[in-house]
Amino acid sequence: MTSTMLRPGDSGYDDELAGFQTAVRRRPDVIVAATSAADVVGAVRYAGEHDLPVAVHSTGHGLTVPFEGGVLVTTQRMTGIRIDAESATARVDAGVRWGAVIEAAAVHGLAPLSGSFPGVGVVGYTLGGGFSLLGRKYGLAADQVTAIDVVTADGELRHVTAVTEPDLFWALRGGRDNFGIVTALEFRLVPVTRLYGGSLQFGTESLPTVLRAWRDWTAEMPREMTSSLTMVPMPDLPMVPEPLRGKHVAQIRIAYLGDAAEGERLVAPLRAAAPVLGDTLAEIPFTESGSIANEPPFPHGYRADNVTVTELNDTMLDAVLEHAGPGAPVPTVILLDLLGGALSDIPDNPGVGWDREARFTVRALSVVDDAALTEIRAAHGKLFDALSPWSTGKLLTFVYGESSPDEEAAKVYSAADLRRLREVKAAFDPRNRFRLTHNVQPGRDTE
Ligand SMILES: Cc1cc2nc3c(=O)[nH]c(=O)nc-3n(C[C@H](O)[C@H](O)[C@H](O)COP(=O)(O)OP(=O)(O)OC[C@H]3O[C@@H](n4cnc5c(N)ncnc54)[C@H](O)[C@@H]3O)c2cc1C
């Protein structure tokens, strides 16, 4: 192995654990700072020899479950990217972030199905489904995956495709690190270089009107339009521009794959819905797609949960305002995502854990420094209870909670999918070595 092994007390141990999410404490017995697939093989074999559980960390955007002990493999030094312009595909190593792939693909007039924030890791995002800025046109990032290199619990490095290992190929795309540590991903790119995108911002007084206007507007949108609405309590701080400072702001995010004139025509009803406090809509190169959401780049602690829903009726929007609006007991960011389009299509080789029948997601996120965990849990719980009559599921990739890893898996997957996942787990990880995050237990259910 060329990797470094770090133990508690070693210099560099705490730095190696640092990531975007700061509210989840982990204290592994050993950190393996991997530089290659061979290092990952060595780490998993070491864990097997010492009967230790194993987890993996890339950027720390998706940290959810605290743990003590075991082996943690970090992948941030595995940064290789290869673009094949002829086949319009990419091969990326486990530690690559979306920003680097966006830049490398753009040279060839191509784009990946990346999300709102370029700092997010490709592998964690894609294994969670991958809800892209281009999602309604091109589907989930997970649907574009053609091959996965993964080190399974037996310490073997496998090249997994729909043909070589169909069950594992299915389970990894949605089951995430339950089935092994991915060392590289291969996936298709799409022919996108520019889009019409940005956001419209509205103030506190406009929230009820804007929520309804966006909901009504989404009913007529073509697949080329991907859009979300966020509701954000803006801090009263100098870093926030004056018209938005201290306000509860609705931000409508737009990513439209068409010409700017048609984009302008489509968003006109939104601009007319209420006084616009900020407007960044313009034709932009895809390399600037991170500016659409303009999410804060600095690490912080957060808790979040979500539901997928079949509709957004007035009762539901009132519940969103009551439990997460300006008068809510806990400052909460709401994200409503329009699904449908290609996100509802079933590809030849789908993964698991994505609700293709849902029409919207409702996500709630609170910063841990702003409120105690018990208050956040209670506030989010009230919101999701109110939405439960219309809820069809939830997406694991947007769960940043503390409930037991086993419980969360049972909420995310259908009973039939969970049964199949448990069987795949029994075949590839019978001792449940990969159990430190949201866990699928190995086993065969008797019906
Ligand atoms: C600011 C922000 C914006 C986001 N925007 C989007 C978005 O637009 N669309 C979307 O779909 N999601 C989005 N997400 C969610 C994001 O996709 C998940 O949090 C994802 O898990 C992050 O992956 P990571 O590798 O960056 O994080 P990490 O915390 O390093 O990893 C999270 C999890 O990913 C899995 N994982 C990571 N590397 C490997 C590996 N090598 N092998 C096996 N499993 C691995 C593991 O389960 C791990 O616990 C966003 C999150 C944040 C914080």
Side-chain angles (χ1 to χ4, degrees):
M1 278 205 280
T2 54
S3 58
T4 309
M5 275 188 147
L6 297 164
R7 294 189 164 76
D10 285 351
S11 119
Y13 176 93
D14 291 333
D15 288 348
E16 196 65 23
L17 281 176
F20 192 77
Q21 159 72 283
T22 57
V24 176
R25 193 182 135 80
R26 296 153 308 147
R27 202 166 166 77
D29 293 331
V30 179
I31 301 176
V32 177
T35 58
S36 66
D39 288 349
V40 180
V41 168
V44 174
R45 289 186 181 170
Y46 173 91
E49 284 154 18
H50 295 82
D51 197 20
L52 293 168
V54 195
V56 56
H57 168 116
S58 171
T59 72
H61 280 81
L63 300 183
T64 51
V65 183
F67 65 82
E68 293 262 340
V71 176
L72 180 69
V73 177
T74 58
T75 61
Q76 60 187 313
R77 293 168 190 80
M78 297 172 65
T79 53
I81 300 180
R82 211 167 61 216
I83 305 289
D84 183 339
E86 205 169 309
S87 61
T89 54
R91 177 181 166 88
V92 309
D93 290 343
V96 172
R97 296 172 187 248
W98 276 124
V101 185
I102 291 170
E103 292 292 337
V107 174
H108 305 282
L110 297 166
L113 293 188
S114 48
S116 60
F117 189 60
V120 165
V122 173
V123 172
Y125 167 103
T126 306
L127 298 186
F131 171 59
S132 166
L133 289 170
L134 311 177
R136 278 176 37 87
K137 171 75 175 170
Y138 291 109
L140 293 174
D143 295 341
Q144 301 297 337
V145 174
T146 53
I148 304 172
D149 286 2
V150 61
V151 179
T152 41
D154 55 3
E156 291 302 313
L157 174 62
R158 298 165 194 260
H159 185 69
V160 175
T161 70
V163 176
T164 62
E165 300 274 10
D167 287 335
L168 191 53
F169 189 62
W170 169 79
L172 278 163
R173 290 170 306 137
R176 304 206 296 187
D177 60 344
N178 266 283
F179 299 91
I181 298 183
V182 170
T183 59
L185 270 187
E186 294 174 18
F187 51 89
R188 288 180 286 267
L189 302 166
V190 296
V192 169
T193 55
R194 305 186 72 74
L195 51 73
Y196 173 79
S199 70
L200 297 173
Q201 327 254 359
F202 302 87
T204 316
E205 332 54 67
S206 307
L207 290 177
T209 310
V210 170
L211 284 173
R212 282 165 173 72
W214 181 78
R215 182 268 321 270
D216 294 344
W217 172 85
T218 59
E220 301 297 326
M221 283 304 113
R223 287 179 169 223
E224 286 71 22
M225 178 67 78
T226 299
S227 180
S228 303
L229 183 151
T230 70
M231 217 171 75
V232 189
M234 289 287 188
D236 192 0
L237 293 174
M239 64 199 252
V240 179
E242 187 44 75
L244 308 176
R245 195 177 299 167
K247 293 237 166 70
H248 212 110
V249 171
Q251 180 199 50
I252 296 179
R253 299 175 182 174
I254 298 289
Y256 176 61
L257 283 171
D259 67 43
E262 181 59 9
E264 292 276 313
R265 193 188 69 74
L266 288 172
V267 301
L270 298 173
R271 282 204 173 106
V276 175
L277 300 188
D279 183 340
T280 66
L281 289 172
E283 190 177 328
I284 54 170
F286 191 74
T287 46
E288 286 173 24
S289 57
S291 68
I292 295 174
N294 202 18
E295 286 163 327
F298 43 83
H300 55 285
Y302 43 95
R303 282 288 177 239
D305 208 340
N306 71 89
V307 286
T308 48
V309 294
T310 49
E311 60 181 292
L312 274 179
N313 59 42
D314 287 354
T315 308
M316 298 165 80
L317 294 180
D318 289 344
V320 166
L321 284 168
E322 181 188 342
H323 297 296
V330 168
T332 299
V333 175
I334 288 288
L335 294 100
L336 309 176
D337 305 296
L338 173 64
L339 303 178
L343 295 165
S344 295
D345 295 344
I346 301 183
D348 290 344
N349 283 296
V352 62
W354 188 270
D355 184 352
R356 292 186 196 257
E357 282 168 24
R359 177 102 181 114
F360 297 94
T361 65
V362 181
R363 303 192 247 158
L365 179 147
S366 295
V367 172
V368 170
D369 289 347
D370 292 347
L373 278 177
T374 43
E375 292 172 3
I376 294 174
R377 223 175 279 134
H380 292 186
K382 281 184 187 156
L383 169 64
F384 292 124
D385 283 350
L387 300 178
S388 62
W390 301 276
S391 154
T392 48
K394 71 156 76 183
L395 301 173
L396 184 56
T397 204
F398 298 129
V399 174
Y400 301 93
E402 269 193 285
S403 60
S404 101
D406 303 332
E407 272 172 30
E408 213 62 72
K411 285 187 213 156
V412 168
Y413 307 112
S414 71
D417 283 345
L418 190 52
R419 200 174 313 123
R420 184 174 168 201
L421 284 169
R422 281 163 49 72
E423 288 174 9
V424 181
K425 180 84 176 176
F428 287 96
D429 184 14
R431 297 177 68 89
N432 204 8
R433 195 149 315 284
F434 297 105
R435 62 173 179 269
L436 291 173
T437 54
H438 296 125
N439 191 224
V440 173
Q441 299 268 355
R444 269 170 223 291
D445 295 337
T446 42
E447 292 190 56

